Amino acid sequence: HKKNRFQTSSLSSSLSSSSVYPYPVDYCDHFETSYEAYSDIDPLLQALTRYLRKENGKKDLKVYDPYFCAGSTIEHLSKLGYVRNNIYHFKRDFYKDIVENECPKDFDILLTNPPYSDDHKERCLDYTIKCQKPAMLLLPSYIVTKNYFAKVMRTETELSTVKTSSSYKSDKAFQYSKEEIRTWKFFVPSQKYSYDHPEGTGHANSPFFSLWFLFFPHQFYNSLPVELQDKLKTQNDLFQEGIVKS
């Protein structure tokens, strides 16, 4: 087995200090995704292993979470049965890695909860579209009302050509058949998720109601058992059911 070249480094006791991280940090962004949030989407991750024909199921699934806070992603996913060495979650400058083409290439799914401040949400969506891997993003529900999300939703209705920017070291265009077109759906949790700050401070209850934003080929959604298909929403469902206000 080829050893992954991305390595973690230990955290110091003061997580609020930006000197601990090789990238700028915001104290108010430092909240870890809960175990409950990962547990909710575990059936979908297991379905992905079947869709990708992973011989050893979740033990073979390679997960990439580029937004590092305190590393609980690895703990929570390993508790659910995913292999620690297959969880790419490291204290690295994600945006620098994009520019320098240093992001891992062999992951099966982008699974992350980006910071909600500044333009992190937009940059995360941009990477999701350009890397064209399956993705589950934990984002505030209001994102579905934003113009920048309307732009990425174009894959819902048309056969599109996605071109990577020069920062991704490629100008290749990706063509998809109707079945392979990536499209967005949403998993709505039964209750608002809580979040933990590494220093045990701040407010664990988010002021936003968060949704899992799913980005998969049509074929994947069609392959899901009916009970899982019924749990997923389209953008229209979110508005019609009053989950999101237009």
Side-chain angles (χ1 to χ4, degrees):
H1 178 70
K2 183 178 180 182
K3 185 177 180 180
N4 192 286
R5 61 190 176 86
F6 292 88
Q7 299 294 329
T8 60
S9 56
S10 60
L11 290 170
S12 75
S13 59
S14 179
L15 291 169
S16 61
S17 171
S18 60
S19 64
V20 174
Y21 297 87
Y23 42 81
V25 296
D26 185 325
Y27 180 90
C28 294
D29 279 332
H30 259 318
F31 285 89
E32 296 272 85
T33 307
S34 67
Y35 173 80
E36 288 72 23
Y38 292 115
S39 181
D40 274 351
I41 49 90
D42 181 45
L44 289 165
L45 291 175
Q46 292 187 59
L48 180 62
T49 67
R50 294 190 293 270
Y51 177 76
L52 297 177
R53 299 180 180 179
K54 296 291 185 180
E55 184 177 350
N56 297 307
K58 59 173 62 178
K59 292 182 179 180
D60 286 344
L61 192 70
K62 295 181 179 179
V63 176
Y64 181 34
D65 180 356
Y67 292 100
F68 188 93
C69 180
S72 68
T73 294
I74 296 175
E75 302 306 319
H76 294 330
L77 289 176
S78 61
K79 185 177 178 180
L80 288 167
Y82 299 90
V83 176
R84 300 175 74 94
N85 288 344
N86 286 340
I87 304 170
Y88 303 164
H89 184 54
F90 307 106
K91 191 164 54 170
R92 295 176 60 92
D93 187 332
F94 174 41
Y95 303 132
K96 182 179 178 182
D97 281 345
I98 291 175
V99 172
E100 297 181 354
N101 199 29
E102 291 290 330
C103 295
K105 303 295 191 298
D106 65 336
F107 63 93
D108 297 307
I109 183 168
L110 176 68
L111 177 65
T112 193
N113 175 17
Y116 291 174
S117 68
D118 299 327
D119 63 349
H120 294 295
K121 301 177 296 295
E122 295 94 316
R123 296 174 81 173
C124 181
L125 288 166
D126 182 65
Y127 177 76
T128 302
I129 289 293
K130 289 174 179 175
C131 79
Q132 285 295 300
K133 293 287 187 103
M136 294 185 192
L137 315 176
L138 188 58
L139 292 167
S141 59
Y142 68 75
I143 297 300
V144 301
T145 69
K146 299 298 183 180
N147 289 335
Y148 57 79
F149 187 68
K151 183 178 179 181
V152 302
M153 280 290 290
R154 69 186 184 277
T155 55
E156 179 76 46
T157 57
E158 64 182 25
L159 180 63
S160 60
T161 299
V162 181
K163 295 183 178 180
T164 60
S165 67
S166 58
S167 65
Y168 288 82
K169 308 298 183 184
S170 173
D171 59 1
K172 181 180 179 181
F174 296 89
Q175 299 282 352
Y176 293 99
S177 68
K178 182 178 179 180
E179 292 75 19
E180 293 173 320
I181 296 175
R182 273 65 169 161
T183 188
W184 295 90
K185 290 196 177 184
F186 309 88
F187 176 88
V188 182
S190 58
Q191 58 187 2
K192 185 184 289 186
Y193 291 135
S194 61
Y195 297 86
D196 298 320
H197 196 283
E199 292 182 340
T201 59
H203 299 284
N205 294 322
S206 170
F208 310 115
F209 186 78
S210 300
L211 308 174
W212 281 106
F213 286 53
L214 278 55
F215 188 59
F216 289 96
H218 280 294
Q219 279 186 329
F220 171 75
Y221 296 122
N222 293 337
S223 72
L224 293 174
V226 174
E227 60 270 22
L228 279 181
Q229 291 189 34
D230 289 345
K231 291 183 178 180
L232 304 184
K233 306 291 184 181
T234 64
Q235 187 182 39
N236 286 339
D237 292 335
L238 296 179
F239 292 128
Q240 291 176 1
E241 297 177 22
I243 299 168
V244 176
K245 305 296 183 182
S246 57

